[in-house]
Amino acid sequence: MAIHHVLIVDDSPTERYYLSDILIRQGYSVSTAETGEEAMLKIRASKPDLILMDVVMPGANGFQVTRSIARDPELKDVPVIICSSKNQETDKIWGMRQGACAYLVKPVAAAELLARIAELG
């Protein structure tokens, strides 16, 4: 599956800018959402090829949104990479159980992020 459009879901403007900058420099099309609820609206409106998901956000957290995506027959094929400051092994295991295909701990290294995306594409 070729990855062209990436949705970044994070309540931090700094993180959205940082991740967007990495991806845009590599030629990806990027859109952003600040909350899980906004993300679900954008995902349904224009299904992205990949989602980068924060965990700690107001409203629905990233684990809940990832689970909703994984359980939705129309969205379950959209890969989710969780990018979170939650760095405990239990957080990583829980994120993968919710349907994430990878779990990266912030600050996310550009090379690691791009390598994970390349593995998917």
Side-chain angles (χ1 to χ4, degrees), residues 7-118:
L7 174 64
I8 298 169
V9 185
D10 200 307
D11 61 326
S12 164
T14 304
E15 282 296 323
R16 288 193 310 272
Y17 175 81
Y18 171 72
L19 294 171
S20 293
D21 187 56
I22 292 169
L23 296 172
I24 290 169
R25 288 174 187 261
Q26 295 298 315
Y28 294 101
S29 165
V30 174
S31 57
T32 62
E34 295 181 32
T35 66
E37 293 82 4
E38 180 186 2
M40 289 305 292
L41 291 173
K42 288 189 173 188
I43 293 164
R44 290 187 195 291
S46 61
K47 193 169 152 183
D49 301 316
L50 172 66
I51 301 164
L52 301 183
M53 181 74 67
D54 185 22
V55 171
V56 181
M57 299 181 287
N61 71 42
F63 291 143
Q64 293 167 320
V65 179
T66 299
R67 185 172 51 243
S68 294
I69 294 165
R71 290 183 178 171
D72 187 315
E74 293 180 19
L75 304 176
K76 67 181 181 182
D77 59 329
V78 179
V80 176
I81 296 176
I82 292 180
C83 299
S84 177
S85 56
K86 293 176 71 67
N87 62 359
Q88 298 298 309
E89 192 62 27
T90 53
D91 297 319
K92 295 175 188 176
I93 292 167
W94 187 245
M96 300 301 280
R97 284 189 179 167
Q98 303 317 301
C101 64
Y103 192 110
L104 303 177
V105 176
K106 291 178 185 176
V108 174
E112 185 179 9
L113 174 62
L114 295 172
R116 293 296 177 127
I117 293 172

